[in-house]
Amino acid sequence: MQLIESKNIVKYLDSNKYKLAKSVDFKCGYCSRTVNYLLVWDSYDESSMFTSSRCSGCGEASRFYFVEIKENEQKKLVGDLYISPSSELRTTVDGVEITEKFSSSMLRAYNSAVNVYNLGEWSATVVLCRRLLEGITKSLLPESEQNKPLNKQLEIIAGHAELQKPLLTLAHAIRIGGNLGAHFDLEREPDEVVSKYIIDMLDYLIEYLYVLPKRIEELHTHIEELSNKNGER
């Protein structure tokens, strides 16, 4: 089962007692399409409830569970809504956070790219990936290099960030994919496969540049602390 967040609930049932989801936008666990589910609750219970609704794409029925029901400040019965089977929604890289180099605006751009990917908006995904890549290059390069075209920045960044050739290749692939989405072409429009590869590569780049160094530093600190403790014995 997978928890459905309030941002995915389009409309609630107008009830004097319950605050129940009536319309939900979510990714189907069978076909991976993002569709709207209309929820009809046939029976009501103050402990747990369930219903089912079919995907408008593949026709398969998903089950919805309303659990952890409790009364809120408005005297309405609220709870958590789950769907089964769960879909494979993409999330941001574990450990990424706002730092001096990885700014809050970059994190918002990263979240936006992941969100539109989960909605199946492939062109928007690659465009947002390109925008984030531009933010990454600007965070790593000196000001004198930041006004150069993105492809030139990517060539320069290899020296500043000590990128190995495979990672530089990833950066170029994201740049090319971003151009594909930005310059709409009916014969070259990005599809789900292209979008997945591009956002995969962006994840690897973020993990390598921002998350891994922090983890290595934490490991180094931990090893030093253990060494100091052993030396005190």
Side-chain angles (χ1 to χ4, degrees):
M1 291 198 304
Q2 184 174 358
L3 177 67
I4 297 176
E5 297 181 22
S6 57
K7 65 181 180 181
N8 298 107
I9 300 176
V10 180
K11 190 175 181 180
Y12 287 93
L13 179 68
D14 186 14
S15 168
N16 292 328
K17 187 175 183 180
Y18 291 89
K19 186 177 181 181
L20 287 166
K22 182 178 181 181
S23 177
V24 174
D25 286 341
F26 213 72
K27 198 171 185 180
C28 175
Y30 294 100
C31 69
S32 296
R33 293 181 178 91
T34 299
V35 296
N36 178 263
Y37 290 97
L38 179 64
L39 305 186
V40 178
W41 303 93
D42 296 323
S43 59
Y44 298 89
D45 193 288
E46 295 187 9
S47 58
S48 64
M49 298 160 55
F50 69 89
T51 187
S52 62
S53 183
R54 292 191 179 277
C55 169
S56 58
C58 65
E60 293 288 346
S62 292
R63 292 177 69 84
F64 294 82
Y65 299 88
F66 187 59
V67 297
E68 299 293 330
I69 301 173
K70 55 185 177 296
E71 192 175 72
N72 65 8
E73 294 177 355
Q74 289 74 41
K75 304 299 182 182
K76 294 266 190 177
L77 291 176
V78 298
D80 295 328
L81 182 65
Y82 287 84
I83 184 174
S84 178
S86 61
S87 60
E88 295 182 2
L89 286 178
R90 193 177 195 103
T91 60
T92 55
V93 168
D94 184 37
V96 65
E97 58 185 29
I98 297 174
T99 63
E100 183 179 351
K101 289 187 177 295
F102 199 80
S103 65
S104 57
S105 60
M106 289 167 63
L107 184 58
R108 286 195 299 272
Y110 186 23
N111 281 322
S112 295
V114 171
N115 289 338
V116 297
Y117 175 83
N118 286 331
L119 291 173
E121 298 289 345
W122 315 129
S123 290
T125 299
V126 294
V127 170
L128 288 170
C129 285
R130 177 189 169 87
R131 183 181 300 171
L132 179 54
L133 183 59
E134 290 172 342
I136 289 173
T137 58
K138 282 182 170 56
S139 76
L140 297 172
L141 291 177
E143 284 190 27
S144 59
E145 309 286 8
Q146 291 181 11
N147 291 326
K148 294 184 177 181
L150 181 58
N151 62 315
K152 294 297 182 184
Q153 291 184 41
L154 290 170
E155 292 172 2
I156 297 168
I157 203 174
H160 287 276
E162 298 181 354
L163 290 177
Q164 298 297 318
K165 184 179 177 181
L167 282 175
L168 186 57
T169 303
L170 291 183
H172 277 293
I174 294 173
R175 175 180 63 84
I176 293 169
N179 286 337
L180 185 63
H183 306 291
F184 184 76
D185 186 326
L186 287 176
E187 296 182 358
R188 301 176 60 209
E189 183 182 3
D191 58 11
E192 181 177 3
V193 175
V194 171
S195 297
K196 181 181 185 302
Y197 277 124
I198 289 174
I199 204 165
D200 277 345
M201 291 186 290
L202 191 61
D203 281 348
Y204 299 149
L205 199 60
I206 289 172
E207 190 160 24
Y208 181 86
L209 292 174
Y210 300 100
V211 179
L212 187 58
K214 182 174 180 291
R215 289 176 178 168
I216 290 173
E217 183 62 31
E218 289 173 348
L219 177 60
H220 176 261
T221 301
H222 183 62
I223 290 172
E224 279 198 331
E225 289 174 351
L226 288 176
S227 178
N228 293 334
K229 286 181 180 179
N230 291 332
E232 292 172 357
R233 292 177 181 174

